[in-house]
Structure formats: structure tokens, C-alpha cells
Amino acid sequence: MSATQLPTPAPVSSWAPLRNAVFRNLWLAVLASNIGTWMQTVGAQWLLVHQPHASTLVALVQTASMLPILLLALPSGALADTVDRRRLLLTVQLLLFLVGAALTVLTALDRMSPTLLLTLTFALGVGQALSLPAWQAVIPGLVPRAQIVSASALGSISVNLARSVGPAIAGVLVAKVGVAAVFGLNTLSFLVFALALLRWRTDEESDSDLPERFGAALRAGGRYVRHSLVVRRILLRATLFVVPGSALWALLPLVATRQLGMGASGYGVLLAAMGTGAIIGALVLPRIRARLSSGRLLLLAGLTYGLVLLVLALVRNVALVTVALLPAGMAWMTVLSSINAAMQLFLPGWVRARGLSVYQVTFAGGQALGALAWGGLAQATSLVVAYLVAAGVMIAGTATVRKWPLFDVAGLNREPAVYWPEPHLVLEPDPHAGPVLVTVTYTVEPPRQDEFVAAMRAVRRSRLRTGAVRWGMYREGEEQHRFVEIYVVPSWDEHLRQHAVRLTELDQQAETGARALTVCPPEVRHLLPATDR
């Protein structure tokens, strides 16, 4: 992949984004919300431990929390790309506050049945699913591009701090005050996030003159991901790491109890070791990135994680396992924050939330399916076999980084490149009329025609990424020098978005490369529907 690149920035501190007051306030608010979410999970599970069929009910708490992310991430991403993200986040936090308040009051009044608890937990999960793509999408607008990797690492710190602190606080409150207090603090965390959003005044301009319809936006996001080599490669690397990596998280409670003879507190120590390693990794990541390429970084992290899986399979010493989980946490954070940052750096603003939502589905789905597979394998064979297989899959997947590396996107300019001339039509089309057929006729001398056809492959991907639903290229039977490119766009306003906001320098370079092989400027025609549909 080649493109006009901005100068590669020098490594920056992991803390650099926190010097930005807006980002700092929002990051602290998200940290409070993450802590509240973990407290909420512990409180809900504790409320169910004495119910009939407690094992199933307790497991369903996690399902009710995570299922909305799998079901709603893609629609949430489309929504976050078609409305004001700040207002969306604010509205969702206020709705979550109302759900949390109902949960708190009903629990305090001892009116909380298992069915109602799971229903309200699912409602909270819906709110989280609506918030995640929007929050991830606003980060590149809050910090300089050079700090996006550090901002992603700070996101990992937030998650791991919350994972360590939230359950501990919840345990103390449940013992001293009661579950209602846990739910109440989680409810207040939504209010904290809402207040931080109210203080944030964004001056980011939107393409409000070209509003996207929800269904069209959802389909456009899917087309972009399907036809973007860079995004597909990022998702592949995430899958190859998350699926085998999920074995550690899924089976760690069994390692603690069966192999190490530890109780609940011991399991907490193992989780704390993972979290501590992730935080350390986030702090040292800028220095490591300054010395290693992204490929070598992923290779080192993947091999490290695979070796830790081998340790969990073969070692029965508590101290050694605990120490081994520190580099595992570092590797987990390094890979996922690098992949997340690559997505944020590459995705253009018009499709950023949709692309990030696909990443979230890949991550959550990989964890869920991976945990199911490794749990089934452990049940059918043994814990040792499951970890050995997971280690083998992790190492094999990591080895593919040489064949399928991440593209270097740090220096790319992803701002809109408005280089198409405005269409001048005699007819005044309905913005929603469609489909629209666009033809582009090129004149190419015979010696350069094979090279031209090869160059048009990149143009094809550009058209399909930015709005076209079909593409083809033909030769005129009556004229050997003329090639006709034809692509179909769903509607006229969709084509106008290609002109105004969707093209980037990668698209411009693809077209420039192809047109450099022609002998004259191409002829562009727009064919509109002849009849109403």
C-alpha cells in the first residue's frame, strides 16, 4: 500500500493525551463508568447466588451484559456516523442513569426478581453497545494524530484498572452496605460521564448538508469494510490473536482452583497480575514502538502470550504462574491497543464509528466463540490439552505476521480529498433518486493498456469503498483505444458524498496512477433513472 504520507511523528509518552483537558475529563469519566460496570456485574451476580439454578443465572448476567454488543454494535456504529456523537453519548448516559436508578430503587425495596434483574442488565448492555462506537470514534478528534496510539493505550489502562478496582469495591460494599449501594454507585457513574460530556464543547463540523439515512449508512459501512484491504488485514490480525488468547481468560478460574488449589482470593490475585502487566505494557509501549516495527512488535507479543499459555498448561507453582501472567497482560494490551489504534488512524471520519463497531464485533465475537471452543475442548479432554492447543494456535497465528503484516498507516493523511469536479447537470435529480449509473471513458494507447487495466484494480476498490455497489470496465468494440468504466451508486446523494467527504488521498493516488496512463482527460457521464420507482 502506498500513499502520500505525513511526516512520521516521534514517539510520545503514554500520558501525553491527558495534558488535553477535554480528553482528560472524558477519560476519567469513562474510567468511572468502567469501574461502575464491573461493580454492577459483581453486584448482579451476588444478588443471584442464592437463587434456584444459581449457576445458570449467574452466567446469564455476563451474557445479558455482552450480548447487546454483538447484536447492536453494527447498527450503533451506523448511528454514531449519522448523528452528532456528543449528543448521542449524552442521551445514552441519561437513559442509562434512569435504568440504573430503577435498578437501585427496586433492589433497595427488595422488589428485584431474577427476570427483572437480567432484563435491566440487558438494558444497561444496550446502552454500552450504543456508547462504545461513538466514544471510540470521537477520540481522534480529541487528541493530535501523533497521540492516538497513546490514547488507545490509556483506554487499555482504564479497562484494566476498572477490572482490578471495580470488583474489589463491589465486594466491600456488598458486605458492608448491600447490593443496592453497588447499583447506586454505578448509576452515579453515568451521571459523571454525562456531566463531562456537557462540559465538552465540540467545534467539529459535520456534513449536515448531506445527511445519511440509517439503512443506507449501515450498508455503506459494510461495503467499506468489505473492500478495504487495510481494515480486513486489521480484523484478521485481531482474530488470529483474540481467538487463541481467549483461552487464558476463559479457563483461568479452573487453573486457579484445579491446578493451583487457590480460592476466590487467589483467582483475584491472578487477575490482578494480568491487569498489572497490561498497565505496565501501556506505560512502556511508546519506548518499545520506537525500537520495533509493528510487525516485530506483534510477533514478540504473540510469541510471549503463546509461551504463557504453555506455562499455564505445564506449571503448578503459584508464584511462577502469577509472574508469568505479567508479560501475558503486557502482550494482550500491546496487541489490542496497537490494532485498535491502527483502526482509528486509518478509518476516515465519515465511516470511523462503523469501522470500529466491526472491530468490536470481531473482538467480542472472537472472545465469546473462543471461550466456548476452549471450554468445550477442556471438557472433552483436559485443561492441559486445551492450553497446549491454544498455545499452538497462538504461535502459528503469530507466525503469519510475516505474510500478513499490519499496513503502516501512522503517516497517512485520512482527511477528505476533494478533487472531483462538481457535476454540472441539465436535470435536477431527486437526492434520493437511484440507482445512478456513472460512466468514465478513458483513451489509452495500446502499449500502455495492460498497465492501465492493472492500475484500475485500485480504482475499483476505491469506488466500492466509497459508495458504489457494482463496478465494471469494458472496451468499446468500435474503438480500440477507448475503455469505459461503469459503476452504480444507490442514489444521487450517495454519489454527492463521494464528491464531498468520502474520498481520501489513497483514492486520489489510485485515480492519478490510472489517469497518468491515458492520453487525454476522461469523459464522465451521469445516468439518472428515467422513471420513478
Side-chain angles (χ1 to χ4, degrees):
M1 181 189 69
S2 61
T4 302
Q5 296 207 338
L6 301 174
T8 301
V12 295
S13 165
S14 292
W15 305 111
L18 295 179
R19 300 188 188 115
N20 181 312
V22 173
F23 179 83
R24 181 173 64 248
N25 292 337
L26 290 171
W27 182 83
L28 290 171
V30 171
L31 174 61
S33 182
N34 287 337
I35 292 173
T37 297
W38 279 98
M39 292 172 59
Q40 164 72 31
T41 299
V42 171
Q45 290 175 331
W46 187 260
L47 204 59
L48 296 171
V49 294
H50 300 299
Q51 295 287 334
H53 311 293
S55 298
T56 301
L57 291 173
V58 168
L60 284 175
V61 170
Q62 194 71 21
T63 302
S65 299
M66 296 300 296
L67 188 60
I69 295 178
L70 290 174
L71 296 178
L72 300 177
L74 298 180
S76 298
L79 186 63
D81 277 332
T82 54
V83 301
D84 184 275
R85 291 165 183 160
R86 174 181 171 273
R87 291 180 182 177
L88 173 62
L89 286 168
L90 183 58
T91 301
V92 170
Q93 300 315 303
L94 294 177
L95 291 175
L96 287 172
F97 177 80
L98 295 177
V99 174
L103 190 59
T104 303
V105 171
L106 291 173
T107 301
L109 295 175
D110 198 23
R111 298 292 183 88
M112 184 58 61
S113 67
T115 301
L116 183 57
L117 175 62
L118 292 173
T119 301
L120 293 177
T121 300
F122 184 84
L124 293 175
V126 169
Q128 295 296 327
L130 291 172
S131 299
L132 279 173
W135 165 242
Q136 290 285 319
V138 302
I139 291 175
L142 297 176
V143 300
R145 185 175 177 84
Q147 296 180 6
I148 288 179
V149 174
S150 295
S152 181
L154 283 170
S156 178
I157 290 178
S158 173
V159 170
N160 285 282
L161 273 177
R163 182 185 287 122
S164 301
V165 174
I169 296 175
V172 172
L173 286 176
V174 168
K176 300 293 184 180
V177 185
V179 175
V182 173
F183 293 163
L185 280 180
N186 182 45
T187 301
L188 289 178
S189 74
F190 301 132
L191 193 59
V192 169
F193 195 6
L195 291 174
L197 289 166
L198 284 172
R199 293 184 62 187
W200 170 35
R201 290 291 182 267
T202 176
D203 55 0
E204 183 177 336
E205 296 183 0
S206 65
D207 55 327
S208 57
D209 54 329
L210 294 172
E212 284 192 81
R213 293 182 174 183
F214 178 79
L218 190 61
R219 292 188 292 272
R223 287 194 300 271
Y224 186 90
V225 170
R226 187 163 65 252
H227 296 289
S228 171
L229 295 175
V230 175
V231 173
R232 296 206 314 268
R233 180 66 56 80
I234 292 172
L235 296 177
L236 174 63
R237 294 255 53 99
T239 302
L240 290 174
F241 182 80
V242 168
V243 171
S246 64
L248 191 154
W249 299 100
L251 303 178
L252 193 60
L254 299 179
V255 171
T257 56
R258 296 182 184 179
Q259 296 192 173
L260 302 178
M262 306 170 75
S265 61
Y267 173 55
V269 170
L270 298 182
L271 285 178
M274 279 286 292
T276 302
I279 293 171
I280 294 172
L283 297 179
V284 303
L285 181 60
R287 295 180 183 179
I288 298 175
R289 290 178 63 89
R291 291 169 172 80
L292 297 177
S293 66
S294 61
R296 291 185 177 180
L297 185 64
L298 292 179
L299 185 64
L300 177 63
L303 292 177
T304 299
Y305 202 94
L307 291 175
V308 174
L309 291 173
L310 290 175
V311 170
L312 292 175
L314 303 174
V315 174
R316 300 293 184 271
N317 183 282
V318 172
L320 288 178
V321 170
T322 303
V323 171
L325 289 174
L326 290 171
M330 295 175 64
W332 179 268
M333 187 288 311
T334 297
V335 173
L336 294 185
S337 66
S338 297
I339 290 173
N340 183 272
M343 286 288 283
Q344 291 181 340
L345 285 167
F346 180 75
L347 289 168
W350 71 269
V351 75
R352 184 174 293 132
R354 280 166 279 187
L356 287 167
S357 70
V358 175
Y359 167 74
Q360 287 160 7
V361 169
T362 302
F363 176 73
Q367 277 198 300
L369 295 176
L372 181 64
W374 301 123
L377 182 59
Q379 181 70 32
T381 56
S382 69
L383 198 58
V384 171
V385 170
Y387 269 123
L388 289 176
V389 174
V393 174
M394 173 63 74
I395 293 172
T398 300
T400 65
V401 78
R402 295 185 179 274
K403 182 177 181 180
W404 300 315
L406 286 179
F407 293 103
D408 183 9
V409 299
L412 296 182
N413 183 355
R414 304 304 288 156
E415 293 299 313
V418 183
Y419 60 92
W420 283 3
E422 286 294 317
H424 297 288
L425 307 181
V426 176
L427 303 176
E428 187 65 31
D430 180 346
H432 303 301
V436 173
L437 180 67
V438 181
T439 67
V440 187
T441 304
Y442 306 90
T443 302
V444 187
E445 295 293 342
R448 314 187 82 177
Q449 289 178 356
D450 289 341
E451 188 179 357
F452 173 77
V453 171
M456 287 298 291
R457 295 192 186 103
V459 176
R460 171 187 177 273
R461 290 193 294 270
S462 170
R463 305 289 197 234
L464 293 170
R465 278 197 306 268
T466 58
V469 295
R470 291 197 300 277
W471 184 95
M473 191 169 67
Y474 303 86
R475 299 190 63 173
E476 285 191 9
E478 294 79 14
E479 173 57 64
Q480 65 171 338
H481 297 137
R482 293 172 72 86
F483 290 76
V484 181
E485 175 196 8
I486 296 176
Y487 61 95
V488 179
V489 186
S491 62
W492 180 247
D493 63 349
E494 192 89 351
H495 183 56
L496 291 180
R497 290 189 194 95
Q498 289 181 301
H499 277 266
V501 296
R502 290 188 176 178
L503 301 174
T504 66
E505 284 192 354
L506 277 179
D507 305 295
Q508 185 174 14
Q509 185 166 1
E511 290 193 48
T512 301
R515 292 185 180 188
L517 302 170
T518 64
V519 298
C520 60
E523 302 171 12
V524 181
R525 295 287 184 269
H526 301 86
L527 281 67
L528 306 173
T531 58
D532 293 334
R533 289 188 151 187

